[in-house]
């Protein structure tokens, strides 16, 4: 009787052991894939990005001086979904992607200032006060940053509306969160942040308001001489198009359009890295992980898990065992 009981226990023990081994393998594979696709892939992609080199020696007559370099990140069109458009899963996925990309970039690249060039929110132009407060809270969590890193945000048409949708309430609501600063200076470099939405208007009042702001900024830039009345930039960076392009104004002033930072708008989001001095600058683009690559990895992992499960259940011959048996047959010949 005792021998029968021991044999029965052994029969139950081995299937249970096989099931436990299968479960551990499945958990290990799922954990490894999630860790790579949701964390490590951002480090792998952004680790390949480097700050562009720029000349740091300036000559004033015969005397040379060393100019400080400001490391600036430029990104655009994050389009955080609101309460009306977009599925909740879409919102959760895109915001997680942007949060991981931004936090990884901060940790690896150590920028001194980050500019977001418009369309921070997707529904800011019509969102209710409650929805606006929720969107702002999620933005502040996603784009949190150390106190020594400056974050500058420019309004876009999705934040406050196009020229025919703009009003004082929407503009003030945006500026209450992101400041109404028009001129930002650091390390001898002047950045003028212009809300170009007002310039697209066909109403003289709005255009006059934008013109007045430009005149005020030009006065501040040239307060010692008051000789220049209009801005004469050496570089223009803008958002809105979701794609990268380059144009030259008057054949000399370059304008670079910064691609969207959201996977909802592009399969391969990116941002611009700028090494800037008072007399020179250099730009480079940093690509984030491609979403189709992540999907391929997940699909491959699902296929591998199915094969692994079927092999353990004896419904599919293990590729390793099949290869081993084939090798044995060749040796016996």
């Amino acid at each position: 009787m005792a021998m029968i009981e021991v044999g029965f226990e052994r029969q139950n023990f081995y299937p249970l052991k096989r099931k436990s081994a299968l479960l551990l393998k499945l958990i290990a594979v799922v954990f490894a894939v999630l860790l790579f696709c949701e964390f490590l892939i951002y480090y792998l992609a952004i680790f390949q990005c480097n700050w562009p080199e720029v000349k740091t020696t300036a000559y004033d007559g015969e005397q040379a001086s060393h100019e400080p370099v400001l490391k600036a990140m430029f990104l655009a069109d994050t389009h955080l979904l609101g309460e009306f458009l977009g599925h909740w899963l879409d919102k959760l996925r895109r915001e997680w992607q942007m949060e991981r990309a931004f936090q990884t970039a901060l940790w690896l690249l150590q920028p001194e200032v980050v500019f977001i060039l418009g369309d921070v929110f997707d529904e800011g132009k019509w969102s209710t006060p409650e929805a606006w407060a929720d969107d702002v809270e999620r933005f502040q969590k996603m784009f949190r940053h150390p106190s020594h890193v400056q974050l500058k945000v420019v309004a876009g048409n999705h934040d406050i509306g196009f020229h025919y949708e703009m009003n004082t309430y929407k503009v003030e609501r945006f500026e209450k969160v992101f400041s109404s600063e028009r001129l930002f200076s650091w390390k001898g470099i002047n950045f003028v942040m212009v809300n170009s939405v007002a310039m697209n208007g066909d109403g003289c009042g709005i255009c006059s308001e934008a013109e007045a702001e430009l005149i005020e900024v030009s006065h501040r830039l040239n307060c010692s001489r008051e000789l220049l009345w209009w801005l004469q930039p050496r570089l223009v960076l803008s958002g809105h198009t979701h794609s990268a392009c380059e144009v030259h104004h008057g054949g000399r002033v370059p304008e670079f359009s910064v691609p969207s930072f959201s996977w909802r708008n592009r399969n391969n989001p990116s941002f611009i890295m700028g090494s800037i001095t008072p007399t020179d600058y250099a730009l480079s683009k940093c690509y984030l992980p491609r979403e189709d690559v992540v999907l391929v990895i997940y699909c491959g992992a699902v296929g591998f898990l199915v094969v692994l499960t079927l092999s353990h259940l004896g419904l599919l011959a293990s590729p390793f065992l099949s290869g081993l048996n084939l090798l044995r047959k060749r040796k016996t010949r």
Side-chain angles (χ1 to χ4, degrees):
M1 187 69 177
M3 294 296 294
I4 296 176
E5 290 180 355
V6 171
F8 181 74
E9 289 178 358
R10 287 179 178 177
Q11 288 179 354
N12 290 336
F13 175 74
Y14 287 114
L16 181 61
K17 185 177 180 180
R18 285 177 58 85
K19 290 180 180 179
S20 300
L22 173 61
L23 182 60
L24 289 176
K25 290 180 181 179
L26 295 179
I27 292 176
V29 171
V30 171
F31 177 78
V33 173
L34 286 175
L35 179 64
F36 179 78
C37 291
E38 302 304 327
F39 289 94
L40 299 182
I41 195 170
Y42 298 98
Y43 289 90
L44 182 62
I46 299 177
F47 182 76
Q48 303 176 55
C49 303
N50 296 296
W51 291 102
E53 295 185 0
V54 64
K55 293 185 296 184
T56 59
T57 303
Y59 293 91
D60 184 9
E62 296 181 354
Q63 188 175 4
S65 61
H66 184 77
E67 296 181 315
V69 179
L70 179 65
K71 295 180 178 179
M73 272 176 53
F74 301 89
L75 53 99
D77 297 284
T78 54
H79 283 275
L80 273 68
L81 292 174
E83 62 178 351
F84 299 112
L85 300 179
H87 192 272
W88 67 269
L89 182 59
D90 184 16
K91 179 190 296 186
L92 179 66
R93 177 63 181 164
R94 306 310 181 188
E95 292 183 4
W96 169 257
Q97 290 173 317
M98 287 189 285
E99 180 177 350
R100 291 314 319 148
F102 183 75
Q103 296 302 323
T104 303
L106 285 186
W107 190 80
L108 287 178
L109 302 177
Q110 299 290 309
E112 298 170 89
V113 60
V114 178
F115 293 92
I116 302 182
L117 306 181
D119 285 352
V120 177
F121 307 108
D122 194 61
E123 303 175 23
K125 55 187 176 182
W126 61 52
S127 61
T128 63
E130 294 77 14
W132 172 263
D134 179 69
D135 293 344
V136 169
E137 183 179 356
R138 296 192 339 265
F139 170 85
Q140 292 174 339
K141 173 184 176 296
M142 293 167 55
F143 293 93
R144 61 190 182 276
H145 55 281
S147 57
H148 64 271
V149 177
Q150 298 278 345
L151 179 65
K152 305 298 180 181
V153 181
V154 181
N157 62 289
H158 278 262
D159 300 315
I160 58 178
F162 275 114
H163 56 280
Y164 54 85
E165 299 173 300
M166 290 174 58
N167 57 44
T168 303
Y169 169 74
K170 294 178 184 177
V171 174
E172 290 181 349
R173 180 172 71 173
F174 184 89
E175 292 181 345
K176 184 178 180 180
V177 176
F178 299 107
S179 173
S180 59
E181 189 177 22
R182 297 287 184 269
L183 175 62
F184 170 68
S185 299
W186 199 355
K187 293 186 175 181
I189 305 162
N190 297 314
F191 296 90
V192 179
M193 293 169 285
V194 179
N195 170 15
S196 61
V197 176
M199 298 183 178
N200 293 329
D202 46 15
C204 295
I206 295 178
C207 289
S208 298
E209 181 180 348
E211 182 178 343
E213 289 187 359
L214 287 176
I215 292 177
E216 178 185 353
V217 172
S218 68
H219 272 282
R220 292 176 60 190
L221 285 174
N222 303 280
C223 58
S224 62
R225 294 177 296 174
E226 293 297 337
L227 296 177
L228 298 178
W229 286 92
W230 296 107
L231 304 177
Q232 297 183 11
R234 52 185 169 129
L235 172 66
V236 178
L237 290 159
S238 60
H240 184 63
T241 64
H242 297 180
S243 301
C245 61
E246 178 182 353
V247 296
H248 288 263
H249 300 281
R252 63 182 185 87
V253 180
E255 177 179 351
F256 296 94
S257 179
V258 181
S260 175
F261 193 70
S262 173
W263 278 263
R264 194 167 185 260
N265 299 324
R266 297 185 61 84
N267 180 47
N268 60 336
S270 60
F271 58 90
I272 299 295
M273 302 168 60
S275 299
I276 308 173
T277 70
T279 59
D280 200 4
Y281 66 86
L283 304 177
S284 66
K285 186 185 295 185
C286 181
Y287 285 97
L288 303 179
R290 294 178 62 94
E291 191 165 45
D292 56 359
V293 172
V294 175
L295 293 177
V296 167
I297 294 174
Y298 275 128
C299 291
V302 171
F304 177 77
L305 291 176
V306 171
V307 171
L308 184 63
T309 303
L310 293 177
S311 298
H312 271 74
L313 296 177
L315 301 177
L316 182 68
S318 171
F320 175 75
L321 293 178
S322 300
L324 186 61
N325 292 333
L326 182 61
L327 182 62
R328 288 175 178 174
K329 289 180 180 179
R330 288 183 178 179
K331 287 183 177 181
T332 56
R333 291 178 183 176

